[in-house]
Amino acid sequence: MSTLRFNALKELPFRNYRKDNAVVVPGKLSELFCENVFSEETMRAYLTKEAFTSIQDAIKRGAKTPRNIADQIAVAMKDWALSKGATHYTHWFQPLTGSTAEKHDSFFTPFESDRAIERFNGSMLIQQEPDASSFPNGGIRNTFEARGYTAWDPTSPAFIIGTTLCIPSIFISYTGETLDYKTPLLRAMHAVDVAATDICRSYFDKNVTKVIPTLGWEQEYFLVDSALYQSRPDLVLTGKTMLGHSPAKGQQLDDHYFGSIPTRVMNFMKELEIECMKLGIPVTTRHNEVAPNQFELAPMFEETNVAVDHNSLLMDIMARVAHKHHFHILFHEKPFAGVNGSGKHNNWSLATDTGENLLSPGKNPKKNLQFLTFFVNTLKAVHDYADLLRASIASASNDHRLGANEAPPAIISAFIGSQLYSVLEELEKVTDGKLSPEEKTDLKLNVVGKIPEILLDNTDRNRTSPFAFTGNKFEFRAVGSSANCAEPMTALNAIVARQLTEFKKTVEFNIEKKNLKKDEAIFNTLREYIKDCKNIMFEGDGYSDDWAVEAEKRGMSNLKTTPEALKEELNQKFVDLYQELGIFNHREFEARNEIKLEKYSAVIDIEAKVLSDIARNHIIPAALNYQNRLIENVKGLKEIFGEEEFKPLAKEQMELIKSISANVSQIKTGVDELLRAKEAARATTGSQEQAEMFCNDVVPRFEKIRTASDELEMMVDDELWPMTKYRELLFTR
């Protein structure tokens, strides 16, 4: 390993990245936008009017596409793809592995002994049958039951990568259960659309026919040199460093954040942006993040379904482009100890088909009451289903990040700003029942009417809040950088859909049974919701120990680990929520919980094996090699100076020899204990019980080995140390 390390470091200064990997942006980025996408403009050019109208109905209203129209769309899509050099097509989907999947089929079809054509019809477009036996299913089906189906999702546009036409699709089993992230997301989006549209049309704007949940994600990531990456087996196999002493300089000076982007990284970013533009991913922001070699990019807001697809596609493109620039990209939430980890903030809002953001105040009291309705209902949903949101972002890798100094804690609280909090306090004082004319006027002028002015000045943000209101959207900050956005977005849209439905029922009850006018009924309902959900509103430092104590007093959960969070996920309240909204049936929901538990255990199992292997086969031999050199040095001093005189001269060497022996012993016993704990966990039956064993008995043993190894790193001759060091991984440009 030391050979790999030094060969990589020796080669780095002689690579001319500025010249060899220079990227020239071809004209305006806007001219490249959607170049490789079967976009609305492309559809207009290739489709008949009938086919174009049909696919737009499918996209905007969920209408079914007739078979003859599907054939027309397929032929047009094929002709466009062939004009772009495509030779194959695939149904591109997002199984529960956490990455994307695809099975390529050729357009090529022989029809005589010496003749062939390119063929693609409606049935090929609508459905494909990949082997489903090896994808996670949580016990829904037996391994030998291989059949599964992908089905075209027309709401997300087809695109071309290389020579392959990619058709965004959902993935279901032979018996109809969902096996992907997209299907439940589409169902949750439909549920919130129905509920929100009903409220808009009933109380605020009869012209609204559709409400679209929107998403703007912020993708954080690390870049490390490919050769240095290959010299670290822990990075290769787990995506994180299991060992490594912190460098003298980390992020203490805050000099990397928003700093000048290194030329080599800039070349990567330029090429990445070009590829994103061609695929219709509207990335607009790029910058250095806080930790060395950490960066971020973010797009414009899009419909949640498309945004989720674009993020999954982006992560794949990033890895490919990084490889061309001799980088390896790290999406792990905490790849390096002692510096900030990476998140993927999900900025969520609701938009109407009339062009309004429902989480943005308007120019009159009616629009501001509309804003308050959706704002307070979202807070109420988060309050009632906080544990479900926590479970939606639970993973072994995100456990390392949540609660650290760069990420929100595992306690799901909401930050809304002191000014908006004051508005809610005023609304909490609204009279129970009918309002006097004076109270109505005061509410409209001095409370509701001043909301736009308040938000204009309320620009500060609380980086310690997992769920923060940032002016015209909520920012779900607790989502991890490696996550598929679909899962937290499914949970958030589902709970808001349920809450809006309950709100409508309550308002109607107040109107019909209590004889209140519409505005009075809305104010009365919001008043009760504000009282109910004040516990989750927190404006202070989420990192402080005092907040954990206070949160416990308020009755809020602090689910610090994935097994804790996933145990709460099976609460009957959450199962019923998904089942009643038609997002998951009971079997599907339990299966997904099982999959996440199994993945957690598998990840910790792999990390334990990797750490044990590195400690035994790399760290201990390097330490003993250096110790033997010291022993030879001591022997030489003794031979030269004699029994008495050599002792003070060899004092430091003797201390080093003892320290090395102590740390080697600690590593040896630590590895033995770790492997025994790992095997005991593997032998545990029940996914929940096994995950808890890995969490409570295996993970805590990592630190003993790491501590001893990091101590040795500071003792052993640098030329003998086998593992590429943090200072090289994080600061080599």
Side-chain angles (χ1 to χ4, degrees):
M1 293 305 300
S2 57
T3 303
L4 280 175
R5 173 193 170 201
F6 284 107
N7 284 346
L9 291 170
K10 185 178 179 181
E11 182 185 345
L12 280 173
F14 299 100
R15 293 185 191 163
N16 192 345
Y17 292 111
R18 291 172 182 253
K19 179 181 177 182
D20 299 341
N21 294 91
V23 174
V24 178
V25 180
K28 299 175 182 177
L29 285 175
S30 58
E31 294 173 352
L32 301 174
F33 193 61
C34 288
E35 182 180 295
N36 291 336
V37 179
F38 196 60
S39 61
E40 184 174 328
E41 183 179 346
T42 304
M43 290 180 199
R44 288 184 187 277
Y46 277 84
L47 293 174
T48 65
K49 184 176 181 181
E50 179 188 26
F52 179 79
T53 301
S54 178
I55 194 170
Q56 290 302 307
D57 282 344
I59 293 170
K60 294 175 181 177
R61 286 177 281 280
K64 289 187 177 180
T65 304
R67 179 57 184 270
N68 65 316
I69 299 297
D71 283 333
Q72 292 182 42
I73 296 169
V75 170
M77 201 179 283
K78 179 203 69 177
D79 291 343
W80 169 74
L82 293 176
S83 75
K84 292 286 187 179
T87 59
H88 289 68
Y89 70 92
T90 182
H91 274 203
W92 181 83
F93 60 103
Q94 299 167 48
L96 300 176
T97 56
S99 57
T100 59
E102 52 200 62
K103 183 192 79 168
H104 296 195
D105 285 313
S106 176
F107 291 123
F108 168 83
T109 305
F111 66 94
E112 290 181 6
S113 59
D114 58 350
R115 300 178 66 189
I117 59 171
E118 277 73 30
R119 185 170 70 93
F120 188 58
N121 59 34
S123 62
M124 296 172 176
L125 168 64
I126 291 172
Q127 184 175 297
Q128 197 178 31
E129 186 186 333
D131 184 341
S133 61
S134 296
F135 288 110
N137 62 74
I140 284 179
R141 59 217 308 265
N142 296 307
T143 304
F144 61 81
E145 295 173 322
R147 196 181 296 274
Y149 297 107
T150 50
W152 173 41
D153 169 23
T155 64
S156 191
F159 55 90
I160 292 172
I161 291 186
T163 59
T164 304
L165 170 66
C166 299
I167 302 161
S169 305
I170 64 170
F171 182 42
I172 60 174
S173 72
Y174 176 71
T175 49
E177 288 95 353
T178 63
L179 296 174
D180 68 342
Y181 287 110
K182 172 171 272 196
T183 307
L185 174 65
L186 291 172
R187 292 171 178 171
M189 290 174 63
H190 174 70
V192 81
D193 169 25
V194 171
T197 300
D198 189 20
I199 288 174
C200 287
R201 290 178 62 82
S202 298
Y203 308 135
F204 304 112
D205 187 352
K206 292 186 180 297
N207 295 317
V208 173
T209 60
K210 187 176 180 62
V211 172
I212 305 106
T214 62
L215 169 64
W217 38 260
E218 303 168 34
Q219 182 68 62
E220 295 177 343
Y221 60 96
F222 281 85
L223 287 172
V224 295
D225 181 83
S226 294
L228 297 178
Y229 167 82
Q230 291 295 337
S231 73
R232 292 279 312 215
D234 48 357
L235 274 180
V236 173
L237 295 174
T238 71
K240 61 175 284 195
T241 53
M242 303 294 297
L243 305 166
H245 197 284
S246 295
K249 179 181 182 291
Q251 62 187 53
Q252 307 98 306
L253 301 178
D254 296 322
D255 54 343
H256 189 257
Y257 191 47
F258 279 26
S260 176
I261 300 172
T263 301
R264 182 181 173 191
V265 177
M266 181 61 81
N267 286 332
F268 157 77
M269 288 179 169
K270 285 180 181 178
E271 185 164 354
L272 175 63
E273 287 179 351
I274 290 170
E275 294 304 312
C276 285
M277 288 299 113
K278 290 179 180 178
L279 291 166
I281 306 173
V283 293
T284 58
T285 301
R286 65 190 186 198
H287 63 83
N288 290 0
E289 256 300 331
V290 176
N293 275 11
Q294 186 187 31
F295 308 93
E296 180 184 303
L297 85 163
M300 299 289 287
F301 280 63
E302 299 179 280
E303 182 176 342
T304 299
N305 173 36
V306 176
V308 166
D309 279 2
H310 278 167
N311 183 251
S312 296
L313 177 58
L314 173 96
M315 292 170 76
D316 184 45
I317 298 167
M318 289 175 83
R320 299 184 194 196
V321 175
H323 182 72
K324 290 177 64 176
H325 291 263
H326 305 284
F327 278 127
H328 192 89
I329 197 156
L330 302 177
F331 291 117
H332 193 286
E333 281 76 2
K334 194 75 171 178
F336 302 103
V339 297
N340 281 14
S342 298
K344 179 152 45 193
H345 304 169
N346 279 210
N347 295 279
W348 172 89
S349 191
L350 294 170
T352 68
D353 57 352
T354 59
E356 286 189 62
N357 179 352
L358 295 175
L359 288 175
S360 184
K363 297 179 180 179
N364 56 62
K366 183 177 180 181
K367 291 300 180 186
N368 293 332
L369 182 56
Q370 174 181 275
F371 158 74
L372 278 173
T373 294
F374 288 94
F375 175 73
V376 173
N377 272 283
T378 301
L379 291 174
K380 181 69 161 61
V382 173
H383 173 271
D384 291 355
Y385 294 94
D387 289 352
L388 183 61
L389 283 181
R390 169 65 183 94
S392 75
I393 48 96
S395 69
S397 52
N398 208 21
D399 281 358
H400 293 289
R401 170 179 166 266
L402 292 179
N405 287 337
E406 75 284 357
I411 304 165
I412 303 296
S413 64
F415 169 82
I416 64 172
S418 57
Q419 295 93 337
L420 264 178
Y421 188 81
S422 298
V423 170
L424 297 191
E425 285 189 315
E426 289 298 317
L427 289 173
E428 195 179 348
K429 300 172 186 175
V430 169
T431 300
D432 186 1
K434 291 184 179 293
L435 308 181
S436 67
E438 294 77 17
E439 188 172 13
K440 284 183 182 180
T441 302
D442 185 58
L443 277 172
K444 289 179 179 179
L445 292 179
N446 298 320
V447 181
V448 178
K450 290 187 177 180
I451 288 174
E453 179 185 335
I454 286 170
L455 288 182
L456 192 65
D457 297 325
N458 186 24
T459 55
D460 202 7
R461 297 195 299 168
N462 188 328
R463 65 193 298 272
T464 71
S465 175
F467 198 83
F469 185 70
T470 54
N472 59 0
K473 63 189 184 300
F474 280 100
E475 183 179 20
F476 194 7
R477 296 176 53 87
V479 182
S481 52
S482 67
N484 186 310
C485 298
E487 188 166 4
M489 285 297 101
T490 297
L492 182 55
N493 284 297
I495 65 176
V496 171
R498 161 50 60 84
Q499 179 53 44
L500 291 174
T501 301
E502 292 302 312
F503 171 79
K504 176 79 183 314
K505 290 178 182 177
T506 306
V507 171
E508 290 303 308
F509 176 84
N510 286 339
I511 293 172
E512 294 171 12
K513 303 297 183 182
K514 294 186 177 181
N515 199 30
L516 299 181
K517 292 183 179 179
K518 181 181 70 175
D519 286 2
E520 291 174 332
I522 291 173
F523 277 124
N524 270 260
T525 306
L526 293 180
R527 179 195 63 232
E528 297 307 310
Y529 286 173
I530 292 166
K531 290 179 180 177
D532 291 344
C533 65
K534 284 185 77 173
N535 274 351
I536 67 160
M537 298 180 208
F538 179 64
E539 310 296 305
D541 182 5
Y543 298 155
S544 70
D545 293 335
D546 291 342
W547 167 231
V549 174
E550 172 63 22
E552 187 176 1
K553 289 179 182 176
R554 296 186 185 187
M556 299 170 67
S557 299
N558 187 4
L559 307 173
K560 294 183 179 180
T561 68
T562 292
E564 288 179 278
L566 295 181
K567 188 173 185 178
E568 293 302 316
E569 186 180 41
L570 290 182
N571 187 314
Q572 192 61 43
K573 173 182 175 181
F574 306 150
V575 177
D576 292 343
L577 164 77
Y578 280 132
Q579 193 154 314
E580 289 169 15
L581 291 175
I583 295 171
F584 295 119
N585 61 39
H586 190 278
R587 189 178 181 211
E588 287 173 321
F589 190 57
E590 287 189 344
R592 285 172 187 254
N593 181 268
E594 181 92 0
I595 289 167
K596 288 185 281 189
L597 287 166
E598 288 175 353
K599 182 176 182 179
Y600 176 88
S601 295
V603 166
I604 303 303
D605 187 28
I606 291 168
E607 289 181 355
K609 286 188 280 191
V610 169
L611 179 58
S612 299
D613 173 58
I614 293 173
R616 282 178 165 176
N617 298 325
H618 302 293
I619 304 304
I620 289 179
L624 294 179
N625 187 1
Y626 182 57
Q627 187 182 51
N628 287 336
R629 290 191 181 189
L630 291 172
I631 291 170
E632 290 301 316
N633 178 264
V634 171
K635 287 180 179 178
L637 289 173
K638 185 176 181 180
E639 287 178 10
I640 294 171
F641 295 102
E643 184 71 34
E644 294 300 323
E645 193 176 353
F646 96 98
K647 288 183 179 179
L649 298 174
K651 180 182 178 183
E652 298 301 326
Q653 294 92 317
M654 293 293 288
E655 289 297 324
L656 272 174
I657 290 169
K658 290 177 182 178
S659 294
I660 290 171
S661 291
N663 282 292
V664 166
S665 176
Q666 183 170 321
I667 290 174
K668 172 64 171 63
T669 57
V671 168
D672 290 344
E673 292 168 359
L674 175 62
L675 292 177
R676 282 195 296 270
K678 181 184 78 70
E679 289 307 313
R682 282 172 56 87
T684 304
T685 57
S687 298
Q688 180 67 44
E689 292 75 13
Q690 186 178 75
E692 289 174 359
M693 281 280 286
F694 272 108
C695 179
N696 300 325
D697 294 350
V698 177
V699 171
R701 300 182 190 278
F702 290 176
E703 194 58 34
K704 179 179 181 179
I705 299 169
R706 177 167 196 151
T707 299
S709 173
D710 291 355
E711 287 286 331
L712 288 172
E713 184 179 329
M714 298 302 288
M715 299 178 197
V716 174
D717 185 343
D718 184 60
E719 291 189 1
L720 298 178
W721 192 252
M723 308 292 286
T724 301
K725 297 186 175 184
Y726 269 29
R727 70 167 188 267
E728 296 153 353
L729 289 167
L730 290 171
F731 293 96
T732 300
R733 297 288 185 257

